């Protein structure tokens, strides 16, 4: 589902329970935050047309982290547009090998324990989750700095889900793109509301919970997660609820 203007100049591409976002810059250029699954490709074209833009307006792809469901079309976008693909250096290996990620708990047990997650995982598989090509030669983002790409996001280090996970803060729009550091739908349990992602896909759950402090500290009003609906009651409240939900 394509949702234009979920926040000022930010557009949500939601496909197979995975979100990526187009962020407008000041001169009509665009950044893609996360790259979904391969099946999001037609929606990306649809979004560009709806915004009256061409693929060449897409200047940057910034990965909050390099799990397969966030790397999907990154390489294809770069090939087609020449956009630079950015990620934290600790995500470089994962970006090239999107399936070799650390996780605390066995993935295969979750569909048995949480049967409501099965349709989600099936939809993800249909969208190409089992055949995501890696992307090499990513450019490095640096925590605490403003990245000079359309939208000028500030990089908020938020490790735990992966070891180089970074959220992206758009201070002028009061928006925080949280990636999978905080989601409102956990694909592995089907639970909704602000939370960290289950141990099936999280490398270090205690660290992920500690990193909620960094998200809360932005004070952002609107949170746009990698999975689930936007949250518009502020970062502190979302972080509180995620801490209360705890690991799963
Ligand atoms: Zn993830
Ligand atoms: Zn994800």
């Amino acid at each position: 589902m394509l949702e234009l203007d979920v926040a000022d100049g930010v557009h949500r591409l939601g496909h197979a329970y995975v979100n990526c976002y187009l962020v407008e810059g000041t001169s009509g250029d665009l950044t893609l935050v996360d790259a979904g699954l391969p099946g999001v490709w037609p929606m990306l074209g649809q979004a560009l047309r709806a915004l009256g833009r061409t693929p060449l307006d897409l200047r940057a792809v910034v990965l909050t982290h390099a799990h397969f469901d966030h790397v999907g079309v990154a390489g294809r976008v770069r090939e087609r547009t020449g956009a630079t693909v950015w990620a934290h250096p600790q995500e470089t290996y994962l970006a090239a090998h999107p399936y070799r990620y650390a996780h605390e708990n066995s993935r295969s047990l979750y569909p048995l324990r949480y049967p409501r997650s099965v349709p989600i995982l099936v939809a993800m598989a249909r969208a190409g989750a089992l055949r995501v090509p890696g992307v090499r030669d990513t450019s490095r983002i640096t925590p605490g700095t403003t990245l000079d790409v359309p939208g000028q996001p500030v990089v908020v280090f938020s490790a735990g889900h992966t070891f180089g996970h970074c959220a992206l803060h758009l201070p002028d729009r009061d928006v925080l793109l949280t990636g999978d550091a905080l989601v409102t739908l956990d694909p592995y349990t089907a639970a909704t509301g602000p939370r960290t992602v289950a141990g099936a896909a999280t490398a270090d759950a205690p660290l992920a919970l500690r990193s909620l402090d960094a998200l809360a500290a932005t004070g952002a009003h609107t949170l746009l997660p990698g999975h689930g609906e936007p949250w518009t009651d502020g970062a502190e409240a979302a972080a509180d609820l995620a801490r209360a939900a705890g690991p799963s």
Side-chain angles (χ1 to χ4, degrees):
M1 154 230 3
L2 173 61
E3 261 185 286
L4 297 180
D5 288 304
V6 283
D8 185 20
V10 184
H11 315 289
R12 176 188 178 197
L13 285 69
H15 181 69
Y17 301 94
V18 181
N19 298 320
C20 47
Y21 299 93
L22 276 172
V23 178
E24 294 183 30
T26 46
S27 51
D29 45 7
L30 296 162
T31 293
L32 181 66
V33 174
D34 285 336
L37 288 163
V40 79
W41 183 257
M43 188 180 285
L44 182 57
Q46 186 195 341
L48 292 173
R49 285 190 296 278
L51 296 169
R53 303 286 160 67
T54 73
L56 295 180
D57 292 320
L58 205 44
R59 298 290 156 72
V61 180
V62 185
L63 305 177
T64 60
H65 66 300
H67 279 156
F68 59 89
D69 53 327
H70 299 254
V71 169
V73 297
R76 199 170 172 191
V77 167
R78 179 166 67 186
E79 251 168 54
R80 176 81 195 278
T81 67
T84 305
V85 181
W86 300 84
H88 187 276
Q90 279 185 265
E91 300 294 304
T92 306
Y93 177 81
L94 192 54
H97 310 93
Y99 297 98
R100 294 190 200 165
Y101 57 89
H103 48 90
E104 289 196 323
N105 303 333
S106 163
R107 277 165 288 183
S108 57
L109 295 177
Y110 278 79
L112 299 173
R113 262 178 75 192
Y114 303 98
R116 285 193 305 129
S117 71
V118 170
I120 297 173
L121 301 176
V122 167
M124 289 172 74
R126 285 203 180 121
L130 306 176
R131 47 183 169 82
V132 173
V135 55
R136 290 173 192 278
D137 303 319
T138 49
S139 297
R140 295 171 162 226
I141 60 176
T142 306
T145 66
T146 299
L147 186 59
D148 190 16
V149 299
Q152 304 283 308
V154 177
V155 178
V156 180
F157 191 59
S158 40
H161 179 67
T162 60
F163 292 111
H165 191 289
C166 292
L168 299 168
H169 185 206
L170 307 172
D172 56 332
R173 305 180 215 193
D174 217 6
V175 166
L176 181 65
L177 298 137
T178 60
D180 284 1
L182 183 148
V183 297
T184 56
L185 167 69
D186 184 340
Y188 295 91
T189 64
T192 55
R195 59 193 60 250
T196 53
V197 173
T202 285
D204 183 333
L207 180 58
L209 287 168
R210 287 200 296 281
S211 285
L212 293 169
D213 293 351
L215 305 186
T218 65
H221 171 263
T222 301
L223 271 53
L224 300 175
H227 305 274
E229 296 299 309
W231 172 265
T232 55
D233 285 333
E236 289 98 340
D240 285 346
L241 287 168
R243 284 187 204 98
S248 57

